[in-house]
Amino acid sequence: MNLVRIIIATTQGPVTVQRITEEDPVVNSVVCLSGKAVALAISPAYDAFVRNPTGVIQRHYGHPAFRVDVSEKIDEGYSWQLGLFAAHALYHSGQLAQQDQACARTVIATGELDRDLNLLAVSGNEEKTAALRSAIEALVEKSVAVTLVVPKQNAAHWISHFSDLTDRASPSIEILPIETAGQLLDHLGLSLPGQPQHRKPAAPQPTARGKSSWLAAALVFLIGAVAVAGGSSYHPQLKALSDQALGSLQALLAPSPSENAAGEKPAPVAGPTPGLADPAEKPPRAIPAPVEKPAPPPQPVTRPTPVESGPLIAERDVLVASRRPATIAAPLRIELSERRAPLGFSCEEAHQMAIEAQVRPPTMRGAIALFGKANDKLCTVEVLAKAASNSDHVFGRYQRWTQGRPRDTEPDKVIDLGPRQGPVSWSVDIPNQLSRPAVFQILILSSNKAFEVTDQMHRRLASIRPGSDQLIRLQNRLRADGIKLTTRQFRILPERRSRTTRPPQADATGAGQFQPERLTSPPSAR
Amino acid sequence: MAEQAGTTKQHFTQAAFDALLTTDRLMAGTAADTGLVSPTEMYAYAVDASHQPSPGLLDALNTQAPVQASFRRLLNNTARYHLPQVAAASSGDIEQRESEGCKIAFRPSRANAAQIYVIIECIGDTSFNPAVLFVCAVDGTTNRMELPVAQNGRIQLLLERESDMAKGLLDIKTEVYLK
């Protein structure tokens, strides 16, 4: 296997990507210095670059948490993004030269990426090129093939700065101005999981085959549109129809060798680098399925016979995969429990004196959970939402209203957790004196595939109020994407109110302090 | 209400230490001569993440039991969260420490087994961002660490497992304070 080393061009000099490791999904991604327990200042930005919903690495390569070890410090900026993106792509395909692994080629990259993997111009080019020169000369000396990958907007500076090296007719150094990360992947002979459209399509040729391809593409688009518009939920029949139609189109869609190379490939300034894959000679491999591919639907689906790999066939695979919902996750468990100060202590005293609180589940009386009396002893209510499988992805929102009615006011506290694999939990502080009933709502999204909570989804969640009609619509909408929405609400009444509303059959000690628990998920979604 | 009471107590504590500051000034030079610890500096060390302690204070906190006891009381009164000793059911590594509204989780690094991630989440009060962490051992000694800025409500540290701080956090007999 041809290994490739990635070097990030910084104003302080070259920074080698030494190693990438998949970390426990619950930790934030970090960039560390040479294997030491030193998280660099860019780590929060790197975590945002990796993790959904802001990041691109999890979106394409599945895992949400990585540790990257680099040879030197990177203190600020975002021009490391292209280099680390390429490193992840190589790591995913097993081609990243890690640690001291020998390799015959090196990619030196600089550039900031947007979420669509477009490359943005960078600053500090003077410093970067000056700081790189000796390193590049040393690599060339060792006959290592070097590719300098830079944003197209910055290319002029890089070309002029290194013209003496490229003019030596040395075949081992080239400058590659690009506009998208996909162009770099093309150059490395890699493909992009989950998003095959990273190549800029070439202008269609007025050939019969070209027209057929456009017709076929239009038909594929129509089928996709019907699939989306045809209902908010997933229809296996529709998918089967799509599969058949797509299967019958394979002959039209199968790319010819010339079409395989149709993606715009930036021309390197110098000659082709020995050893680097050239997509014109070697078509991109079939785009592999995303790492966290959802489980297949329950009923068997007739799939067209696989044909030779090519970008459009791979696109179809991804199209189908994206239409296929995750299997609805197993029932979600939401546990409520109370923490109460021991006899003779207030919550604050128990906290300050480190006295262990008493933890117990609520006493259920029908659909009402009853807690013992007196607000000053009810310190917190613990909420734990746990999927049946630790591999399920869970997002949770806790919101509370203590100042007004939920229908009239915004919540005065909102805490989002996740999405993450594993449980989410909140410790709900209970104010000592309540002047009015406090309303609490827990919203849990769960799925057995990774998902992101988009801005739109945030807005929709924010619009849900306890008892509102929008809940069912959103549940249906999310279920079509394989995401289950479960909500739970409870109220805590002021002590004087709780005395007056205490159920006659309440236990001898208790005013009904705590009135949960309306499970608003429809039974089918549980 | 609990928060109000806490704020009042903090104001009272601060006022008390302001008075002590006056005493410090009146007795300027005495502390250095006698080896006594300035209460003002002790207070600053407890509440100000950026405070650089004098060698004298650190020495006293490591060796003088009365100073250690005073400092522990100070932490009890000023720290926002206190995570007590862990009641462990087994002798293995603990996975988390928890208190009302605050949790510290430990995850081994897959990249390097000699390193460990420490994840601090204070969900009881999202407006509070811990700036400094203290680990108090049963022998009275205290380890202090300035914390990085929280990221999405959580603070993550990466520590060498054999460092004093990691060993202290993983020791079920220590107590942890967050300020």
Side-chain angles (χ1 to χ4, degrees):
Chain A
M1 180 167 291
N2 295 322
L3 298 180
V4 180
R5 190 174 310 289
I6 295 291
I7 290 178
I8 297 164
T10 77
T11 54
Q12 300 299 310
V15 176
T16 304
V17 178
Q18 296 176 325
R19 185 171 55 162
I20 292 181
T21 311
E22 290 187 5
E23 286 289 11
D24 189 321
V26 303
V27 309
N28 291 337
S29 295
V30 289
V31 181
C32 292
L33 182 63
S34 296
K36 298 173 192 163
V38 179
L40 299 186
I42 61 166
S43 292
Y46 172 62
D47 182 63
F49 182 63
V50 168
R51 193 180 291 268
N52 280 334
T54 52
V56 294
I57 301 299
Q58 182 182 6
R59 179 160 54 125
H60 292 293
Y61 301 108
H63 197 69
F66 290 90
R67 168 179 171 159
V68 175
D69 284 290
V70 295
S71 63
E72 304 291 339
K73 278 188 176 180
I74 305 175
D75 292 324
E76 58 181 6
Y78 296 93
S79 60
W80 45 266
Q81 290 182 338
L82 177 64
L84 286 189
F85 185 83
H88 275 281
L90 289 163
Y91 170 79
H92 187 69
S93 66
Q95 290 179 261
L96 178 66
Q98 303 205 50
Q99 307 282 41
D100 298 325
Q101 284 181 303
C103 66
R105 54 187 111 152
T106 291
V107 169
I108 300 175
T110 184
E112 180 182 345
L113 292 171
D114 69 11
R115 193 164 152 71
D116 296 322
L117 301 182
N118 297 309
L119 197 58
L120 310 177
V122 295
S123 58
N125 292 286
E126 291 277 356
E127 295 91 337
K128 286 174 184 172
T129 47
L132 272 175
R133 175 166 280 276
S134 60
I136 291 176
E137 287 174 345
L139 287 169
V140 172
E141 193 86 0
K142 293 178 190 171
S143 300
V144 174
V146 177
T147 305
L148 285 164
V149 188
V150 299
K152 202 166 190 175
Q153 301 96 308
N154 302 118
H157 170 79
W158 288 74
I159 291 167
S160 69
H161 185 89
F162 289 112
S163 59
D164 58 324
L165 292 176
T166 51
D167 287 350
R168 284 182 198 165
S170 164
S172 59
I173 179 167
E174 64 179 348
I175 297 175
L176 183 67
I178 59 172
E179 292 174 287
T180 69
Q183 292 172 334
L184 172 56
L185 299 190
D186 279 352
H187 196 76
L188 294 170
L190 301 172
S191 53
L192 187 61
Q195 189 170 331
Q197 299 93 335
H198 62 272
R199 294 172 194 81
K200 288 184 129 191
Q205 298 301 311
T207 62
R209 188 174 190 86
K211 286 175 183 171
S212 303
S213 297
W214 277 101
L215 280 172
L219 189 50
V220 169
F221 174 79
L222 275 174
I223 291 170
V226 168
V228 171
S232 57
S233 59
Y234 170 72
H235 296 289
Q237 297 87 347
L238 185 57
K239 181 192 172 301
L241 175 64
S242 304
D243 280 348
Q244 287 170 12
L246 287 163
S248 67
L249 289 169
Q250 281 177 355
L252 288 173
L253 295 173
S256 67
S258 63
E259 283 174 326
N260 266 345
E264 180 183 309
K265 178 178 178 296
V269 172
T273 302
L276 277 178
D278 184 347
E281 295 169 0
K282 179 186 171 188
R285 291 172 299 164
I287 295 171
V291 172
E292 294 189 9
K293 196 169 182 178
Q299 63 268 54
V301 176
T302 307
R303 296 177 65 85
T305 309
V307 296
E308 60 187 297
S309 61
L312 286 172
I313 297 303
E315 180 176 335
R316 174 203 153 274
D317 282 343
V318 175
L319 177 72
V320 172
S322 68
R323 293 280 174 266
R324 182 187 306 145
T327 308
I328 287 293
L332 188 78
R333 192 156 51 92
I334 300 181
E335 294 175 359
L336 298 170
S337 60
E338 65 167 15
R339 277 179 179 266
R340 191 171 288 278
L343 189 64
F345 293 93
S346 68
C347 291
E348 193 176 14
E349 286 169 337
H351 170 62
Q352 286 185 356
M353 299 172 72
I355 294 170
E356 195 166 348
Q358 297 171 346
V359 181
R360 64 188 186 196
T363 304
M364 299 303 297
R365 198 176 292 278
I368 305 293
L370 296 176
F371 285 77
K373 73 173 192 178
N375 262 334
D376 61 343
K377 298 296 176 65
L378 180 59
C379 304
T380 60
V381 171
E382 307 289 326
V383 183
L384 171 71
K386 190 173 184 183
S389 164
N390 276 337
S391 62
D392 284 352
H393 298 258
V394 178
F395 167 83
R397 166 167 294 190
Y398 156 80
Q399 45 194 15
R400 83 166 190 209
W401 291 261
T402 57
Q403 307 302 323
R405 293 192 307 174
R407 285 185 184 279
D408 306 330
T409 60
E410 294 295 314
D412 47 72
K413 195 165 207 175
V414 176
I415 303 175
D416 287 344
L417 296 175
R420 62 171 67 146
Q421 285 178 295
V424 291
S425 64
W426 296 267
S427 182
V428 180
D429 284 325
I430 309 301
N432 278 351
Q433 299 294 328
L434 286 173
S435 58
R436 53 172 296 115
V439 179
F440 299 79
Q441 184 179 46
I442 305 293
L443 300 162
I444 304 291
L445 304 180
S446 59
S447 175
N448 60 4
K449 69 174 182 180
F451 63 90
E452 59 186 271
V453 182
T454 60
D455 290 343
Q456 186 188 17
M457 210 185 288
H458 272 295
R459 284 195 296 274
R460 283 176 172 238
L461 286 173
S463 69
I464 293 179
R465 294 289 184 272
S468 73
D469 297 335
Q470 293 168 313
L471 176 64
I472 302 296
R473 286 201 294 273
L474 183 56
Q475 280 175 327
N476 289 335
R477 168 73 184 81
L478 289 169
R479 196 182 304 130
D481 292 333
I483 299 171
K484 183 171 64 173
L485 168 59
T486 308
T487 76
R488 189 163 288 197
Q489 301 150 19
F490 55 88
R491 287 190 302 158
I492 295 180
L493 303 178
E495 194 168 3
R496 57 186 168 75
R497 288 276 301 272
S498 65
R499 286 202 187 99
T500 60
T501 56
R502 183 194 322 169
Q505 68 274 40
D507 60 29
T509 60
Q513 279 297 323
F514 190 79
Q515 281 193 337
E517 126 154 38
R518 249 179 30 172
L519 190 62
T520 51
S521 288
S524 60
R526 287 181 190 177
Chain B
M1 292 301 164
E3 195 169 327
Q4 270 188 359
T7 309
T8 305
K9 184 179 281 184
Q10 279 188 1
H11 287 163
F12 178 77
T13 310
Q14 192 153 8
F17 276 89
D18 283 345
L20 288 169
L21 175 63
T22 308
T23 310
D24 279 353
R25 285 173 180 157
L26 289 171
M27 299 174 65
T30 311
D33 298 340
T34 60
L36 294 175
V37 172
S38 154
T40 311
E41 194 196 0
M42 194 193 289
Y43 179 76
Y45 184 60
V47 302
D48 182 0
S50 61
H51 178 74
Q52 293 299 318
S54 66
L57 175 64
L58 294 178
D59 183 57
L61 285 171
N62 277 327
T63 57
Q64 297 181 29
V67 176
Q68 291 171 345
S70 298
F71 190 66
R72 184 71 69 89
R73 277 197 297 276
L74 186 57
L75 288 180
N76 272 321
N77 285 324
T78 58
R80 190 60 168 272
Y81 287 104
H82 170 222
L83 292 90
Q85 292 184 352
V86 178
S90 68
S91 57
D93 278 352
I94 56 174
E95 288 194 351
Q96 69 176 39
R97 311 181 68 124
E98 200 168 0
S99 177
E100 201 174 284
C102 186
K103 186 164 69 177
I104 301 180
F106 306 99
R107 289 286 185 279
S109 167
R110 294 178 185 172
N112 187 341
Q115 295 170 0
I116 188 167
Y117 291 99
V118 179
I119 301 162
I120 302 168
E121 284 182 289
C122 295
I123 56 176
D125 179 359
T126 50
S127 64
F128 168 64
N129 289 315
V132 62
L133 174 147
F134 295 91
V135 179
C136 298
V138 283
D139 65 2
T141 56
T142 301
N143 256 315
R144 176 184 189 264
M145 182 179 223
E146 194 176 337
L147 298 174
V149 177
Q151 186 185 345
N152 297 324
R154 58 157 46 185
I155 294 169
Q156 180 172 293
L157 309 171
L158 179 58
L159 301 175
E160 295 287 352
R161 198 180 271 268
E162 289 304 310
S163 66
D164 288 344
M165 182 54 73
K167 283 198 284 193
L169 284 167
L170 292 168
D171 183 352
I172 60 173
K173 291 179 180 169
T174 59
E175 295 182 46
V176 177
Y177 295 89
L178 289 165
K179 171 65 187 171

